[in-house]
Amino acid sequence: GPDGAELPDGALRLEAAELLPGLQPVILASDDCRIAIGGYQLGGPKVIRGSQTSLTVDVSDVSCPVSLTAEVWDWVASRVVWEQTVDVAAPGKVEFTMTAAPGDPATWPQLRVRAEAGGQRLQARDSAGHAVGDALRLTPIELTGP
C-alpha cells in the first residue's frame, strides 16, 4: 500500500492492465447473456474524495444489452463507497467518472466491475465454465483528500 503496509490478499495496485495478458478476456455471463472484459484504464493511482477520476473498461464482446456497473467496494465494512452504471449493447470502450464522497472513511477500497442483464447478475466464470463470483475485482485503490 501507499504507506508500505501489505495490501489484503497479497493484492497490488494497478492503474492499467490487460486482465489476462495474451489470453482470452474475462467473461461475466448467465445462461442467456455474456459480456467479455479485456482490460481497463484508471485515470490515476489515487481517487481524491470530492474530485473526479476516470475509468475506461474495454468491452471486447457482448451478446445482449447489459448494465455494467463500476464500483468502489469497501470490503472491510461490506459496502459500496461509489458506483456508476452504464448500459452496454456493443463492444468498445466504456467510460466511467468516479467521484468518492468527501470524508468517506473507507478502508482498503477495491475497484470492481459487475454486470446485470434482464434483472439477473452475471457471474464471472473460470476456465472450466464454473461461476466464481458476481464481481470482477480490478485493483485496490487509495482514497485521499478531504
Side-chain angles (χ1 to χ4, degrees):
D3 61 357
E6 183 174 335
L7 295 173
D9 299 323
L12 56 107
R13 192 176 317 277
L14 299 173
E15 290 179 45
E18 288 181 74
L19 296 179
L20 295 172
L23 300 175
Q24 298 296 318
V26 176
I27 306 296
L28 296 168
S30 66
D31 291 338
D32 303 324
C33 185
R34 64 179 250 144
I35 185 169
I37 308 292
Y40 67 93
Q41 177 78 39
L42 183 58
K46 299 178 181 180
V47 175
I48 299 170
R49 294 177 178 100
S51 348
Q52 295 183 344
T53 303
S54 65
L55 170 66
T56 303
V57 175
D58 178 27
V59 174
S60 56
D61 187 33
V62 60
S63 68
C64 66
V66 169
S67 294
L68 188 64
T69 300
E71 65 185 17
V72 174
W73 175 256
D74 181 353
W75 68 272
V76 173
S78 295
R79 66 185 180 95
V80 173
V81 174
W82 166 88
E83 71 179 349
Q84 182 183 1
T85 300
V86 174
D87 292 329
V88 178
K93 304 284 184 193
V94 179
E95 303 288 335
F96 297 92
T97 303
M98 298 181 359
T99 306
D104 200 312
T107 306
W108 298 116
Q110 174 82 46
L111 182 60
R112 309 188 317 178
V113 172
R114 56 186 167 80
E116 187 174 297
Q120 179 182 12
R121 278 219 183 155
L122 306 184
Q123 299 289 311
R125 307 281 174 132
D126 64 14
S127 60
H130 301 111
V132 293
D134 66 358
L136 176 59
R137 291 186 283 175
L138 300 182
T139 187
I141 62 170
E142 180 182 358
L143 287 175
T144 64

